[in-house]
Amino acid sequence: MRIVQTEAGEGFKNVIESDGIELDDQSTYFLLPDIPAIVQAENLFLKRNGLWGERLLTFGKLSFISNLNSDERRNVISRLGRLFLMEEIVDELNSEFSYFKDKFRVKGFPESLLKIIAELKHSKITPQEVEVIGNRESEGDLKEKLKDLALIFKGYQDRLEREILIDDIDKLRLLSESTLNGRLRDILDRKSTRLNSSHMSES
């Protein structure tokens, strides 16, 4: 199996032509960086070789492969599932809130919390670190807000762990770790992966 990676701005057609890649080679898969590259690829396939089916490697497919190969395989939680989970957590913890005590029923509150937690996880900030930062604030709304946020964040992470679930940010982390430690390459190598061009990648 050969994986062709197009860098942003290169142009899918340019890479195909410069590397002499045969689009009808069913062992060639494509990892594309943006919508323009995907549109170019679709147009080329439609004109010359028909639909390309599963030969586009997406973040979702690669993270799914990484999850299958993980020592701690987890069930993927959907966005709607995350929303329901957050609503449950907020409802369970509302009696412990300081800042959010009268605000947790505001429309869109669970969605906002999920976005904040996603940013924190993406920045590799833990619930404990949020709590430490909050404790450094001697007074005011910020201290109470951070304290509540740490409580919610911890509750969310605990539920994911307890129910063996994985969200989008954890999938990204898993994929990154699999790429860095070579595990993703090991999986692909089972299918005789060839990665030997400036336009080829291991992930």
Side-chain angles (χ1 to χ4, degrees), residues 55-73:
R55 291 169 63 193
L56 170 64
L57 292 177
T58 62
F59 158 72
K61 287 180 184 177
L62 289 174
S63 60
F64 176 74
I65 291 171
S66 299
N67 187 33
L68 285 179
N69 197 48
S70 173
D71 293 332
E72 298 179 357
R73 182 178 172 185

Side-chain angles (χ1 to χ4, degrees), residues 52-138:
W52 58 351
E54 297 183 354
R55 291 169 63 193
L56 170 64
L57 292 177
T58 62
F59 158 72
K61 287 180 184 177
L62 289 174
S63 60
F64 176 74
I65 291 171
S66 299
N67 187 33
L68 285 179
N69 197 48
S70 173
D71 293 332
E72 298 179 357
R73 182 178 172 185
R74 295 174 175 272
N75 296 313
V76 177
I77 185 171
S78 68
R79 298 191 178 190
L80 188 59
R82 292 200 298 274
L83 180 58
F84 288 147
L85 182 64
M86 182 57 71
E87 288 176 347
E88 288 180 2
I89 291 167
V90 168
D91 190 55
E92 290 170 3
L93 297 175
N94 72 79
S95 62
E96 301 179 47
F97 292 157
S98 298
Y99 182 82
F100 293 135
K101 201 166 192 64
D102 301 320
K103 301 176 177 63
F104 75 96
R105 295 193 186 280
V106 174
K107 184 178 179 180
F109 182 64
E111 294 96 327
S112 298
L113 288 173
L114 285 171
K115 290 178 182 177
I116 293 171
I117 288 175
E119 289 296 329
L120 291 170
K121 292 179 70 170
H122 189 66
S123 301
K124 296 181 172 57
I125 297 174
T126 66
Q128 293 74 23
E129 288 170 329
V130 175
E131 186 176 11
V132 168
I133 294 169
N135 288 334
R136 289 176 185 163
E137 298 295 325
S138 59

Side-chain angles (χ1 to χ4, degrees), residues 125-195:
I125 297 174
T126 66
Q128 293 74 23
E129 288 170 329
V130 175
E131 186 176 11
V132 168
I133 294 169
N135 288 334
R136 289 176 185 163
E137 298 295 325
S138 59
E139 59 184 1
D141 289 345
L142 182 57
K143 180 183 179 68
E144 293 184 352
K145 186 185 295 186
L146 290 173
K147 178 183 175 183
D148 287 355
L149 185 58
L151 191 66
I152 295 166
F153 189 4
K154 184 177 185 306
Y156 177 77
Q157 286 295 93
D158 287 349
R159 283 288 295 273
L160 290 182
E161 290 295 323
R162 189 163 65 248
E163 299 181 23
I164 318 175
L165 298 171
I166 187 171
D167 63 11
D168 282 350
I169 300 300
D170 287 332
K171 285 198 298 182
L172 178 59
R173 175 187 54 76
L174 183 61
L175 175 56
S176 298
E177 290 173 356
S178 296
T179 303
L180 289 173
N181 65 23
R183 294 186 68 174
L184 186 59
R185 181 178 180 181
D186 291 343
I187 300 167
L188 297 174
D189 277 348
R190 294 174 195 166
K191 299 183 180 180
S192 301
T193 305
R194 287 170 49 208
L195 307 166

